[in-house]
Structures are given as structure tokens and as C-alpha cells.
């Protein structure tokens, strides 16, 4: 999804049939380049956040962070493996920002991707609420991030979100976007990075790493305490990863041009 959409040119001397055919191909191309990926990002985000929220709501005290970590990581890897070839499999505004900065996503699609991911987050969180027992839902704060309870935890939680999201964004950019380093195991490596992040940082910040994952449950539960951490931290991490990769490797378009020469 990194290139610009081709212009639709019509051969005026080719007759009405050829013009209609060109118009049809143009509509199909625009659909495949702009609408279809956004629909996939909405669907994938909804599925991922539905499973992630349920894993928190239904989590047994005996399993600690293991159940949410495995559910989030395995779900993300599976959904990327299924849908990633259509949209890139971001399902995360911070990841989309990093991928855009390195040239792996058309900048025109960044805002539509963000909207699709946030709407998907709302749908996923709403579905999780609909199927959960009311008592469990509210005991888990609707799977909203409630780890940070006081001002003294803010700096540590924000730092953790930045570092944890950087690992996730690096896994996506280097494992699935950069031509030199990407491979067929990228979906599982990305999912594994989420598992590692939650196991390592879940007790510090909740290990959100995804504004869409924070937004949907916050709306459903009406829980907004320190919510800004889960926007600023991941988006700042996406920005840092994008700039770092451009500095060290160059953006994807430039690298492909140099490779072709």
C-alpha cells in the first residue's frame, strides 16, 4: 500500500466500450487501493480488540498476565496472517504512523486507517461487553487500562509504553515492510512481540501499545483515568521508530529505487 494510486486515463479514440472498461478498472483500482484496506483494518481491529478485551474480562486470577498476553499475541498474529496481504495488517494507529514514515503506506491512507482502527476498536469492545457477564465486565473495568492509579506512576508507565510499542513497531516495520529483512514468519514474530511486551510490562502500564485498543474499552466502560498515556506513548514510539528506520535504512521507496539500480 505504499504507492500512489494510478491516474485513470481514457483513450478518447477507443470508443465508448473502451472508455467504460477503463472507468470500470479505475473504480476497481480505487476500491482495492483505498476502500478495501480500510474495511480490513476495521474488521481486523474489531476482532483483535474483541479477543483482547475478553481475555482480560474473563482472566482467571491464577493465570496472571499469561492469559491476556497469549490471547492478544496469538490473535494479532493470526489476524495478520489472514488479512495482512490486503491492508498490511496494522490494526494499530501507532504502527500505521511508523509504516507511513518509512514509506510503506500511502500518506493519504493514514487518517482513514486511524479512523477505521478506532471504529474497529469500538465495535470489538462493544461486542466484548455484549457477551460478558455484567459483574465480570465491571470488575475488569471493561478491559480498559486501569493499571495507573496515581500521578507518581505516570512517568514510568509512559516510558514503558514508549519502549514496548517501539519493539512492536520495529517488529512490523522490519519483519513485514522492509524488503531486506521481511520474511514469511512476520505475523508470528509480531504476535510474539505482543506476548513478550505484555508479560514484561503489563504490571507497569498495562502494555497497551495501541490507541485503538485503549479507546474502545474506555468508551464502553466510561473509564478515562490517565487515558492520554495510551495515546501519547504509542504514537510517540511510532514516530521514533519511523524516524530511526529512515535514518538508518532510508524509506522503503528510496531503498527499492536504489535496489533497482
Amino acid at each position: 500500500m505504499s504507492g500512489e494510486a494510478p491516474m485513470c486515463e481514457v483513450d478518447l479514440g477507443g470508443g465508448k466500450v473502451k472508455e467504460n472498461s477503463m472507468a470500470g478498472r479505475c473504480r476497481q483500482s480505487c476500491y482495492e487501493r483505498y476502500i478495501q484496506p480500510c474495511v480490513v483494518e476495521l474488521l481486523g481491529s474489531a476482532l483483535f480488540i474483541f479477543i483482547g478485551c475478553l481475555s482480560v474480562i474473563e482472566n482467571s486470577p491464577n493465570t496472571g498476565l499469561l492469559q491476556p498476553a497469549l490471547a492478544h499475541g496469538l490473535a494479532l498474529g493470526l489476524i495478520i496472517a489472514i488479512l495482512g496481504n490486503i491492508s498490511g495488517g496494522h490494526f494499530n494507529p501507532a504502527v500505521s504512523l511508523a509504516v507511513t514514515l518509512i514509506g510503506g503506506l500511502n500518506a493519504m491512507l493514514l487518517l482513514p486507517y486511524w479512523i477505521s482502527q478506532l471504529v474497529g476498536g469500538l465495535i470489538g469492545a462493544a461486542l466484548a461487553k455484549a457477551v460478558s457477564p455484567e459483574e465480570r465486565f465491571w470488575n475488569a473495568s471493561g478491559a480498559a487500562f486501569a493499571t495507573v492509579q496515581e500521578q507518581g506512576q505516570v512517568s514510568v508507565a509512559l516510558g514503558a509504553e514508549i519502549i514496548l510499542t517501539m519493539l512492536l513497531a520495529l517488529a512490523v516495520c522490519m519483519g513485514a515492510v522492509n524488503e531486506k529483512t521481511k520474511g514469511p514468519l512476520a505475523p508470528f514474530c509480531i504476535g510474539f512481540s505482543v506476548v513478550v511486551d505484555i508479560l514484561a510490562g503489563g504490571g507497569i502500564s498495562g502494555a497497551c501499545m495501541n490507541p485503538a485498543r485503549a479507546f474502545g474499552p474506555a468508551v464502553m466502560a466510561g473509564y478515562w483515568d490517565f487515558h492520554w498515556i495510551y495515546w501519547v506513548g504509542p504514537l510517540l514510539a511510532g514516530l521514533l521508530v519511523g524516524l530511526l528506520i529512515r535514518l538508518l535504512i532510508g524509506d522503503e521507496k528510496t531503498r527499492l529505487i536504489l535496489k533497482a539500480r
Side-chain angles (χ1 to χ4, degrees):
M1 299 306 303
S2 60
E4 297 291 337
M7 296 298 292
C8 298
E9 298 176 355
V10 177
D11 185 352
L12 297 178
K16 184 176 181 180
V17 173
K18 185 172 182 178
E19 182 176 345
N20 289 339
S21 176
M22 288 294 293
R25 286 199 297 270
C26 175
R27 286 193 295 270
Q28 181 180 10
S29 177
C30 290
Y31 172 78
E32 291 176 350
R33 284 178 176 269
Y34 298 109
I35 299 175
Q36 189 179 62
C38 291
V39 173
V40 168
E41 283 295 308
L42 186 151
L43 173 62
S45 298
L47 290 172
F48 168 62
I49 292 168
F50 170 71
I51 294 171
C53 288
L54 273 187
S55 72
V56 174
I57 294 168
E58 299 295 331
N59 189 29
S60 169
N62 297 327
T63 61
L65 294 171
L66 185 60
Q67 180 172 315
L70 290 176
H72 281 84
L74 293 175
L76 183 60
L78 178 60
I79 295 168
I80 292 174
I82 296 170
L83 301 175
N85 285 337
I86 300 176
S87 70
H90 301 173
F91 315 125
N92 184 334
V95 168
S96 294
L97 176 60
V99 173
T100 301
L101 289 174
I102 67 170
L105 177 70
N106 188 331
M108 290 177 60
L109 282 170
L110 181 58
L111 183 58
Y113 263 44
W114 280 359
I115 294 172
S116 300
Q117 291 155 359
L118 293 174
V119 173
L122 282 171
I123 293 172
L127 290 174
K129 182 177 182 179
V131 302
S132 299
E134 186 174 359
E135 183 180 356
R136 284 181 178 268
F137 179 85
W138 292 112
N139 284 344
S141 301
F145 289 89
T147 305
V148 181
Q149 296 290 328
E150 56 187 36
Q151 194 66 35
Q153 297 175 271
V154 168
S155 59
V156 174
L158 181 60
E161 282 298 310
I162 293 172
I163 297 170
L164 297 173
T165 310
M166 286 184 69
L167 176 60
L168 171 59
L170 277 170
V172 174
C173 291
M174 302 305 290
V177 180
N178 184 266
E179 286 291 330
K180 188 174 182 179
T181 57
K182 72 178 183 180
L185 295 179
F188 305 101
C189 293
I190 295 166
F192 189 62
S193 72
V194 172
V195 174
V196 171
D197 280 350
I198 294 176
L199 289 175
I204 300 173
S205 67
C208 174
M209 305 168 285
N210 185 340
R213 169 64 181 83
F215 179 67
V219 172
M220 290 299 110
Y223 186 89
W224 299 97
D225 292 1
F226 301 104
H227 180 76
W228 63 270
I229 292 174
Y230 305 107
W231 286 77
V232 174
L235 289 175
L236 183 56
L239 177 63
L240 292 173
V241 167
L243 295 177
L244 177 65
I245 293 177
R246 285 181 66 92
L247 178 65
L248 297 179
I249 300 175
D251 65 75
E252 189 66 13
K253 292 178 183 177
T254 303
R255 215 198 65 75
L256 289 175
I257 291 172
L258 293 175
K259 182 180 179 180
R261 290 180 179 174

